[in-house]
mmCIF file of all heavy atoms in Angstrom:
data_model
loop_
_atom_site.group_PDB
_atom_site.id
_atom_site.type_symbol
_atom_site.label_atom_id
_atom_site.label_comp_id
_atom_site.label_asym_id
_atom_site.label_seq_id
_atom_site.Cartn_x
_atom_site.Cartn_y
_atom_site.Cartn_z
ATOM 1 N N LEU A 10 -1.578 6.301 5.110
ATOM 2 C CA LEU A 10 -2.566 6.085 6.182
ATOM 3 C C LEU A 10 -3.773 5.292 5.689
ATOM 4 O O LEU A 10 -4.782 5.187 6.386
ATOM 5 C CB LEU A 10 -3.039 7.406 6.811
ATOM 6 C CG LEU A 10 -1.941 8.359 7.272
ATOM 7 C CD1 LEU A 10 -2.565 9.659 7.803
ATOM 8 C CD2 LEU A 10 -1.072 7.714 8.348
ATOM 9 N N LEU A 11 -3.655 4.720 4.490
ATOM 10 C CA LEU A 11 -4.745 3.969 3.865
ATOM 11 C C LEU A 11 -4.390 2.489 3.778
ATOM 12 O O LEU A 11 -3.218 2.120 3.681
ATOM 13 C CB LEU A 11 -5.010 4.494 2.453
ATOM 14 C CG LEU A 11 -5.337 5.979 2.301
ATOM 15 C CD1 LEU A 11 -5.402 6.353 0.823
ATOM 16 C CD2 LEU A 11 -6.651 6.318 2.993
ATOM 17 N N THR A 12 -5.412 1.647 3.760
ATOM 18 C CA THR A 12 -5.197 0.241 3.438
ATOM 19 C C THR A 12 -4.810 0.139 1.965
ATOM 20 O O THR A 12 -5.098 1.046 1.168
ATOM 21 C CB THR A 12 -6.466 -0.576 3.673
ATOM 22 O OG1 THR A 12 -7.498 -0.117 2.776
ATOM 23 C CG2 THR A 12 -6.935 -0.469 5.113
ATOM 24 N N PRO A 13 -4.156 -0.950 1.555
ATOM 25 C CA PRO A 13 -3.819 -1.106 0.129
ATOM 26 C C PRO A 13 -5.034 -1.008 -0.782
ATOM 27 O O PRO A 13 -4.938 -0.484 -1.896
ATOM 28 C CB PRO A 13 -3.188 -2.499 0.083
ATOM 29 C CG PRO A 13 -2.602 -2.679 1.439
ATOM 30 C CD PRO A 13 -3.573 -2.017 2.382
ATOM 31 N N TYR A 14 -6.172 -1.502 -0.312
ATOM 32 C CA TYR A 14 -7.403 -1.410 -1.102
ATOM 33 C C TYR A 14 -7.765 0.042 -1.378
ATOM 34 O O TYR A 14 -8.020 0.438 -2.526
ATOM 35 C CB TYR A 14 -8.542 -2.118 -0.364
ATOM 36 C CG TYR A 14 -9.927 -1.756 -0.842
ATOM 37 C CD1 TYR A 14 -10.446 -2.315 -2.008
ATOM 38 C CD2 TYR A 14 -10.717 -0.848 -0.131
ATOM 39 C CE1 TYR A 14 -11.711 -1.979 -2.456
ATOM 40 C CE2 TYR A 14 -11.982 -0.510 -0.578
ATOM 41 C CZ TYR A 14 -12.474 -1.076 -1.734
ATOM 42 O OH TYR A 14 -13.722 -0.729 -2.169
ATOM 43 N N GLU A 15 -7.794 0.863 -0.340
ATOM 44 C CA GLU A 15 -8.161 2.269 -0.515
ATOM 45 C C GLU A 15 -7.081 3.026 -1.278
ATOM 46 O O GLU A 15 -7.377 3.921 -2.073
ATOM 47 C CB GLU A 15 -8.417 2.927 0.840
ATOM 48 C CG GLU A 15 -9.688 2.464 1.521
ATOM 49 C CD GLU A 15 -10.941 2.852 0.740
ATOM 50 O OE1 GLU A 15 -10.928 3.899 0.076
ATOM 51 O OE2 GLU A 15 -11.932 2.111 0.808
ATOM 52 N N TYR A 16 -5.827 2.670 -1.023
ATOM 53 C CA TYR A 16 -4.717 3.302 -1.748
ATOM 54 C C TYR A 16 -4.854 3.044 -3.249
ATOM 55 O O TYR A 16 -4.733 3.967 -4.063
ATOM 56 C CB TYR A 16 -3.393 2.752 -1.221
ATOM 57 C CG TYR A 16 -2.177 3.341 -1.875
ATOM 58 C CD1 TYR A 16 -1.638 4.545 -1.450
ATOM 59 C CD2 TYR A 16 -1.541 2.674 -2.920
ATOM 60 C CE1 TYR A 16 -0.509 5.078 -2.045
ATOM 61 C CE2 TYR A 16 -0.416 3.195 -3.531
ATOM 62 C CZ TYR A 16 0.099 4.398 -3.087
ATOM 63 O OH TYR A 16 1.211 4.928 -3.690
ATOM 64 N N ALA A 17 -5.106 1.797 -3.615
ATOM 65 C CA ALA A 17 -5.266 1.453 -5.032
ATOM 66 C C ALA A 17 -6.446 2.199 -5.642
ATOM 67 O O ALA A 17 -6.362 2.732 -6.757
ATOM 68 C CB ALA A 17 -5.453 -0.056 -5.180
ATOM 69 N N ARG A 18 -7.539 2.249 -4.913
ATOM 70 C CA ARG A 18 -8.737 2.921 -5.424
ATOM 71 C C ARG A 18 -8.470 4.397 -5.700
ATOM 72 O O ARG A 18 -9.039 4.975 -6.639
ATOM 73 C CB ARG A 18 -9.866 2.756 -4.396
ATOM 74 C CG ARG A 18 -11.251 3.111 -4.900
ATOM 75 C CD ARG A 18 -12.321 2.614 -3.945
ATOM 76 N NE ARG A 18 -12.352 3.345 -2.695
ATOM 77 C CZ ARG A 18 -13.073 4.461 -2.503
ATOM 78 N NH1 ARG A 18 -13.783 4.973 -3.499
ATOM 79 N NH2 ARG A 18 -13.079 5.061 -1.330
ATOM 80 N N LEU A 19 -7.584 4.984 -4.926
ATOM 81 C CA LEU A 19 -7.283 6.402 -5.083
ATOM 82 C C LEU A 19 -6.248 6.656 -6.176
ATOM 83 O O LEU A 19 -6.480 7.461 -7.085
ATOM 84 C CB LEU A 19 -6.796 6.967 -3.739
ATOM 85 C CG LEU A 19 -6.332 8.418 -3.694
ATOM 86 C CD1 LEU A 19 -7.361 9.365 -4.301
ATOM 87 C CD2 LEU A 19 -6.026 8.827 -2.255
ATOM 88 N N VAL A 20 -5.089 5.985 -6.121
ATOM 89 C CA VAL A 20 -4.012 6.347 -7.049
ATOM 90 C C VAL A 20 -4.297 5.918 -8.482
ATOM 91 O O VAL A 20 -3.782 6.536 -9.429
ATOM 92 C CB VAL A 20 -2.644 5.797 -6.589
ATOM 93 C CG1 VAL A 20 -2.293 6.314 -5.210
ATOM 94 C CG2 VAL A 20 -2.578 4.288 -6.657
ATOM 95 N N MET A 21 -5.125 4.895 -8.672
ATOM 96 C CA MET A 21 -5.420 4.477 -10.047
ATOM 97 C C MET A 21 -6.251 5.514 -10.784
ATOM 98 O O MET A 21 -6.244 5.558 -12.027
ATOM 99 C CB MET A 21 -6.090 3.100 -10.072
ATOM 100 C CG MET A 21 -5.168 1.981 -9.618
ATOM 101 S SD MET A 21 -5.733 0.329 -10.087
ATOM 102 C CE MET A 21 -5.133 0.232 -11.786
ATOM 103 N N GLN A 22 -6.949 6.357 -10.042
ATOM 104 C CA GLN A 22 -7.653 7.471 -10.693
ATOM 105 C C GLN A 22 -6.675 8.473 -11.298
ATOM 106 O O GLN A 22 -7.061 9.279 -12.144
ATOM 107 C CB GLN A 22 -8.538 8.188 -9.672
ATOM 108 C CG GLN A 22 -9.636 7.338 -9.070
ATOM 109 C CD GLN A 22 -10.401 8.092 -7.995
ATOM 110 O OE1 GLN A 22 -10.714 9.268 -8.132
ATOM 111 N NE2 GLN A 22 -10.700 7.415 -6.890
ATOM 112 N N HIS A 23 -5.425 8.417 -10.863
ATOM 113 C CA HIS A 23 -4.400 9.357 -11.323
ATOM 114 C C HIS A 23 -3.448 8.732 -12.335
ATOM 115 O O HIS A 23 -2.366 9.258 -12.573
ATOM 116 C CB HIS A 23 -3.627 9.904 -10.130
ATOM 117 C CG HIS A 23 -4.477 10.759 -9.229
ATOM 118 N ND1 HIS A 23 -4.718 12.092 -9.485
ATOM 119 C CD2 HIS A 23 -5.159 10.458 -8.101
ATOM 120 C CE1 HIS A 23 -5.505 12.581 -8.543
ATOM 121 N NE2 HIS A 23 -5.790 11.619 -7.693
ATOM 122 N N GLY A 24 -3.839 7.610 -12.920
ATOM 123 C CA GLY A 24 -3.060 7.010 -13.993
ATOM 124 C C GLY A 24 -2.002 6.036 -13.545
ATOM 125 O O GLY A 24 -1.282 5.468 -14.379
ATOM 126 N N THR A 25 -1.860 5.808 -12.241
ATOM 127 C CA THR A 25 -0.863 4.868 -11.734
ATOM 128 C C THR A 25 -1.388 3.449 -11.861
ATOM 129 O O THR A 25 -2.505 3.151 -11.424
ATOM 130 C CB THR A 25 -0.527 5.170 -10.267
ATOM 131 O OG1 THR A 25 -0.019 6.502 -10.170
ATOM 132 C CG2 THR A 25 0.511 4.197 -9.734
ATOM 133 N N THR A 26 -0.570 2.578 -12.433
ATOM 134 C CA THR A 26 -0.962 1.171 -12.578
ATOM 135 C C THR A 26 -0.003 0.222 -11.877
ATOM 136 O O THR A 26 -0.320 -0.943 -11.677
ATOM 137 C CB THR A 26 -1.064 0.783 -14.067
ATOM 138 O OG1 THR A 26 0.167 1.122 -14.719
ATOM 139 C CG2 THR A 26 -2.222 1.512 -14.742
ATOM 140 N N THR A 27 1.182 0.732 -11.482
ATOM 141 C CA THR A 27 2.170 -0.089 -10.774
ATOM 142 C C THR A 27 2.861 0.761 -9.722
ATOM 143 O O THR A 27 3.227 1.911 -9.996
ATOM 144 C CB THR A 27 3.244 -0.640 -11.740
ATOM 145 O OG1 THR A 27 2.621 -1.441 -12.756
ATOM 146 C CG2 THR A 27 4.264 -1.498 -10.995
ATOM 147 N N VAL A 28 3.041 0.194 -8.530
ATOM 148 C CA VAL A 28 3.887 0.839 -7.521
ATOM 149 C C VAL A 28 4.897 -0.184 -7.034
ATOM 150 O O VAL A 28 4.607 -1.379 -6.935
ATOM 151 C CB VAL A 28 3.074 1.393 -6.326
ATOM 152 C CG1 VAL A 28 2.101 2.468 -6.788
ATOM 153 C CG2 VAL A 28 2.343 0.285 -5.578
ATOM 154 N N VAL A 29 6.103 0.304 -6.752
ATOM 155 C CA VAL A 29 7.141 -0.543 -6.167
ATOM 156 C C VAL A 29 7.183 -0.196 -4.686
ATOM 157 O O VAL A 29 7.661 0.872 -4.301
ATOM 158 C CB VAL A 29 8.497 -0.314 -6.845
ATOM 159 C CG1 VAL A 29 9.560 -1.217 -6.215
ATOM 160 C CG2 VAL A 29 8.392 -0.578 -8.347
ATOM 161 N N ALA A 30 6.647 -1.091 -3.873
ATOM 162 C CA ALA A 30 6.414 -0.805 -2.462
ATOM 163 C C ALA A 30 7.415 -1.535 -1.573
ATOM 164 O O ALA A 30 7.710 -2.712 -1.780
ATOM 165 C CB ALA A 30 4.993 -1.207 -2.072
ATOM 166 N N ASP A 31 7.920 -0.810 -0.598
ATOM 167 C CA ASP A 31 8.743 -1.405 0.450
ATOM 168 C C ASP A 31 7.902 -1.405 1.724
ATOM 169 O O ASP A 31 7.635 -0.344 2.293
ATOM 170 C CB ASP A 31 10.019 -0.584 0.649
ATOM 171 C CG ASP A 31 10.941 -1.161 1.723
ATOM 172 O OD1 ASP A 31 10.470 -1.968 2.545
ATOM 173 O OD2 ASP A 31 12.125 -0.791 1.750
ATOM 174 N N PRO A 32 7.450 -2.574 2.195
ATOM 175 C CA PRO A 32 6.553 -2.622 3.361
ATOM 176 C C PRO A 32 7.278 -2.634 4.702
ATOM 177 O O PRO A 32 6.861 -3.318 5.631
ATOM 178 C CB PRO A 32 5.793 -3.930 3.127
ATOM 179 C CG PRO A 32 6.782 -4.810 2.434
ATOM 180 C CD PRO A 32 7.620 -3.900 1.577
ATOM 181 N N HIS A 33 8.369 -1.857 4.799
ATOM 182 C CA HIS A 33 9.108 -1.948 6.058
ATOM 183 C C HIS A 33 8.389 -1.274 7.219
ATOM 184 O O HIS A 33 8.691 -1.566 8.379
ATOM 185 C CB HIS A 33 10.553 -1.455 5.902
ATOM 186 C CG HIS A 33 10.750 0.019 5.785
ATOM 187 N ND1 HIS A 33 11.734 0.553 4.997
ATOM 188 C CD2 HIS A 33 10.146 1.090 6.345
ATOM 189 C CE1 HIS A 33 11.731 1.870 5.085
ATOM 190 N NE2 HIS A 33 10.766 2.216 5.892
ATOM 191 N N GLU A 34 7.414 -0.405 6.946
ATOM 192 C CA GLU A 34 6.651 0.186 8.053
ATOM 193 C C GLU A 34 5.824 -0.890 8.760
ATOM 194 O O GLU A 34 5.900 -1.062 9.984
ATOM 195 C CB GLU A 34 5.733 1.303 7.546
ATOM 196 C CG GLU A 34 6.339 2.278 6.547
ATOM 197 C CD GLU A 34 7.449 3.127 7.127
ATOM 198 O OE1 GLU A 34 7.739 3.009 8.326
ATOM 199 O OE2 GLU A 34 8.046 3.910 6.371
ATOM 200 N N ILE A 35 5.053 -1.618 7.987
ATOM 201 C CA ILE A 35 4.201 -2.652 8.567
ATOM 202 C C ILE A 35 5.028 -3.838 9.054
ATOM 203 O O ILE A 35 4.663 -4.522 10.010
ATOM 204 C CB ILE A 35 3.113 -3.099 7.548
ATOM 205 C CG1 ILE A 35 2.004 -3.901 8.222
ATOM 206 C CG2 ILE A 35 3.714 -3.871 6.394
ATOM 207 C CD1 ILE A 35 1.126 -3.079 9.126
ATOM 208 N N ALA A 36 6.185 -4.071 8.435
ATOM 209 C CA ALA A 36 7.047 -5.170 8.866
ATOM 210 C C ALA A 36 7.682 -4.866 10.212
ATOM 211 O O ALA A 36 7.897 -5.778 11.027
ATOM 212 C CB ALA A 36 8.125 -5.451 7.824
ATOM 213 N N ASN A 37 7.999 -3.606 10.493
ATOM 214 C CA ASN A 37 8.531 -3.243 11.799
ATOM 215 C C ASN A 37 7.543 -3.579 12.900
ATOM 216 O O ASN A 37 7.932 -4.002 13.993
ATOM 217 C CB ASN A 37 8.857 -1.746 11.840
ATOM 218 C CG ASN A 37 10.285 -1.430 11.479
ATOM 219 O OD1 ASN A 37 11.178 -1.511 12.322
ATOM 220 N ND2 ASN A 37 10.528 -1.095 10.220
ATOM 221 N N VAL A 38 6.263 -3.391 12.624
ATOM 222 C CA VAL A 38 5.220 -3.592 13.629
ATOM 223 C C VAL A 38 4.729 -5.033 13.660
ATOM 224 O O VAL A 38 4.420 -5.565 14.729
ATOM 225 C CB VAL A 38 4.044 -2.630 13.347
ATOM 226 C CG1 VAL A 38 2.883 -2.904 14.276
ATOM 227 C CG2 VAL A 38 4.505 -1.182 13.487
ATOM 228 N N CYS A 39 4.663 -5.680 12.501
ATOM 229 C CA CYS A 39 4.029 -7.000 12.416
ATOM 230 C C CYS A 39 4.948 -8.113 11.915
ATOM 231 O O CYS A 39 4.498 -9.249 11.751
ATOM 232 C CB CYS A 39 2.810 -6.925 11.497
ATOM 233 S SG CYS A 39 1.555 -5.764 12.031
ATOM 234 N N GLY A 40 6.193 -7.804 11.632
ATOM 235 C CA GLY A 40 7.115 -8.833 11.174
ATOM 236 C C GLY A 40 6.749 -9.383 9.809
ATOM 237 O O GLY A 40 6.248 -8.667 8.936
ATOM 238 N N THR A 41 6.970 -10.675 9.609
ATOM 239 C CA THR A 41 6.695 -11.294 8.300
ATOM 240 C C THR A 41 5.211 -11.244 7.953
ATOM 241 O O THR A 41 4.856 -11.245 6.770
ATOM 242 C CB THR A 41 7.181 -12.756 8.289
ATOM 243 O OG1 THR A 41 6.600 -13.459 9.392
ATOM 244 C CG2 THR A 41 8.697 -12.821 8.395
ATOM 245 N N ALA A 42 4.336 -11.182 8.962
ATOM 246 C CA ALA A 42 2.899 -11.066 8.686
ATOM 247 C C ALA A 42 2.596 -9.761 7.953
ATOM 248 O O ALA A 42 1.654 -9.698 7.156
ATOM 249 C CB ALA A 42 2.098 -11.139 9.977
ATOM 250 N N GLY A 43 3.382 -8.719 8.213
ATOM 251 C CA GLY A 43 3.203 -7.459 7.504
ATOM 252 C C GLY A 43 3.536 -7.587 6.034
ATOM 253 O O GLY A 43 2.847 -7.023 5.177
ATOM 254 N N ILE A 44 4.596 -8.340 5.717
ATOM 255 C CA ILE A 44 4.939 -8.584 4.314
ATOM 256 C C ILE A 44 3.838 -9.395 3.643
ATOM 257 O O ILE A 44 3.430 -9.113 2.515
ATOM 258 C CB ILE A 44 6.297 -9.303 4.208
ATOM 259 C CG1 ILE A 44 7.402 -8.470 4.868
ATOM 260 C CG2 ILE A 44 6.647 -9.568 2.749
ATOM 261 C CD1 ILE A 44 8.752 -9.170 4.931
ATOM 262 N N GLU A 45 3.360 -10.418 4.346
ATOM 263 C CA GLU A 45 2.264 -11.239 3.798
ATOM 264 C C GLU A 45 1.044 -10.387 3.489
ATOM 265 O O GLU A 45 0.359 -10.594 2.482
ATOM 266 C CB GLU A 45 1.889 -12.346 4.783
ATOM 267 C CG GLU A 45 2.910 -13.455 4.910
ATOM 268 C CD GLU A 45 2.868 -14.422 3.724
ATOM 269 O OE1 GLU A 45 2.058 -14.228 2.808
ATOM 270 O OE2 GLU A 45 3.675 -15.371 3.736
#
């Protein structure tokens, strides 16, 4: 429920430096613009 900016700000506090993300949620709603 967070923007990528807020998500990064949160999970990096927990030692995460890389995520493998599948943007199919935003792609369903916004198409290729969601991937962009």
Side-chain angles (χ1 to χ4, degrees):
L10 309 177
L11 303 173
T12 64
Y14 163 79
E15 289 295 328
Y16 181 84
R18 193 167 70 88
L19 176 51
V20 302
M21 293 197 83
Q22 298 176 42
H23 294 277
T25 301
T26 54
T27 301
V28 298
V29 180
D31 181 342
H33 74 215
E34 316 294 358
I35 194 70
N37 267 277
V38 174
C39 300
T41 54
I44 301 174
E45 288 283 0

